[in-house]
Amino acid sequence: MTHAPSSSNILDLFKLDGKTALVTGAAQGIGFEIARALNEAGATVIIADMNPAVGEAAASSIGGTFEVLDVTDSAAVRTLAERLGQVDVLVNNAGIVRNAPAEETSDDDWSAVMRVNLDGVFWCCREFGKKMLDAGSGSIVSTASMSGMISNHPQAQASYNASKAGVIHLTRSLAGEWAGRGVRVNAVAPGYTGTPLTKKGLAITEWSDVWLRETPMGRVAEPREIAPAVVYLASDASSFVTGHTLVVDGGYTVW
């Protein structure tokens, strides 16, 4: 079972000194800011991504290391988990989106989104989770989305919404299975965030007008504003939190 933290100092609870953290899809955007924040909290960080050129530069900039990983390849995930050994913090951040009306969504596009956003999360949880279960400790944080709780509009993205809803329920399911064996499993659910991907959507006025109007704070998040939530869930500051999805959406889902 999980144990209460030994330190009573609040700031100490957020420290990750001596921990190894792996973040998928961390070459840029939210993933990179998460990796940087975990490093600043004291963790040794491994960035796992499909883009070596960008990923290696990102890892070098924070004093971390880089591993090439396609999260849709379950054998590759297993091989990496076995080679790295114990990882104390796993952040499943790799994700893609395909915007298309449901009736026009191809089999290939549907499958591509599910393979990255849901299958990839499970493959990583399963393989790195085995090591955590053997050690009797570990923290897993997955990047879900407010889209797993609401249906975005005006853009059509049924596959993305469904995949992120799956991440949220997978988080609950694994948390229930593994809590008694020392492993906590949580998720963050960002709202619209100024990543390269979202900025493409912001350039479409009929989309961005709705996004900003329906976000009570009236703006999109900066990627660095998502990272502290992950540090909290990864650290002993959240030692009695599991199966939870922490929403960071500027208030979008309160309406």
Side-chain angles (χ1 to χ4, degrees):
M1 67 179 66
T2 57
H3 298 282
S6 56
S7 176
S8 60
N9 184 293
I10 292 298
L11 294 181
D12 284 346
L13 296 180
F14 289 88
K15 293 180 179 179
L16 294 168
D17 295 351
K19 304 291 187 181
T20 298
L22 183 140
V23 187
T24 68
Q28 59 184 345
I30 292 174
F32 174 69
E33 293 299 337
I34 290 171
R36 178 158 59 183
L38 293 171
N39 172 261
E40 290 176 356
T44 298
V45 177
I46 303 165
I47 287 178
D49 200 284
M50 290 183 63
N51 189 328
V54 179
E56 288 175 358
S60 177
S61 73
I62 63 170
T65 58
F66 175 76
E67 296 285 349
V68 175
L69 180 65
D70 177 358
V71 298
T72 70
D73 184 342
S74 62
V77 174
R78 182 180 307 113
T79 297
L80 181 62
E82 291 174 350
R83 179 163 61 80
L84 292 179
Q86 181 64 20
V87 169
D88 305 290
V89 175
L90 168 67
V91 181
N92 296 301
N93 178 75
I96 62 172
V97 65
R98 295 284 188 270
N99 293 113
E103 71 275 16
E104 298 175 11
T105 297
S106 68
D107 292 358
D108 286 345
D109 277 353
W110 176 272
S111 296
V113 171
M114 291 300 167
R115 285 199 305 270
V116 176
N117 293 7
L118 187 53
D119 293 353
V121 171
F122 180 67
W123 305 150
C124 289
C125 285
R126 182 181 65 186
E127 300 307 328
F128 288 97
K130 288 176 184 177
K131 301 294 184 180
M132 292 179 178
L133 291 168
D134 287 344
S137 66
S139 178
I140 296 173
V141 185
S142 297
T143 302
S145 171
M146 69 175 185
S147 304
M149 302 173 173
I150 52 93
S151 179
N152 304 67
H153 73 106
Q155 77 277 20
Q157 52 183 50
S159 58
Y160 182 82
N161 298 350
S163 71
K164 293 301 186 177
V167 170
I168 290 170
H169 207 59
L170 176 61
T171 295
R172 295 191 187 104
S173 300
L174 296 179
E177 285 193 40
W178 293 349
R181 301 167 66 186
V183 179
R184 296 187 300 109
V185 188
N186 293 289
V188 293
Y192 292 114
T193 306
T195 64
L197 191 63
T198 301
K199 287 177 180 177
K200 293 180 181 178
L202 287 168
I204 304 172
T205 304
E206 56 265 39
W207 291 11
S208 60
D209 285 350
V210 176
W211 297 357
L212 297 177
R213 183 177 68 245
E214 298 199 2
T215 300
M217 287 189 173
R219 64 177 179 86
V220 299
E222 294 294 330
R224 60 182 172 79
E225 293 181 288
I226 310 302
V230 177
V231 173
Y232 166 68
L233 292 172
S235 71
D236 282 345
S238 62
S239 58
F240 202 56
V241 179
T242 198
H244 180 66
T245 298
L246 178 53
V247 181
V248 190
D249 68 351
Y252 191 99
T253 56
V254 304
W255 300 125

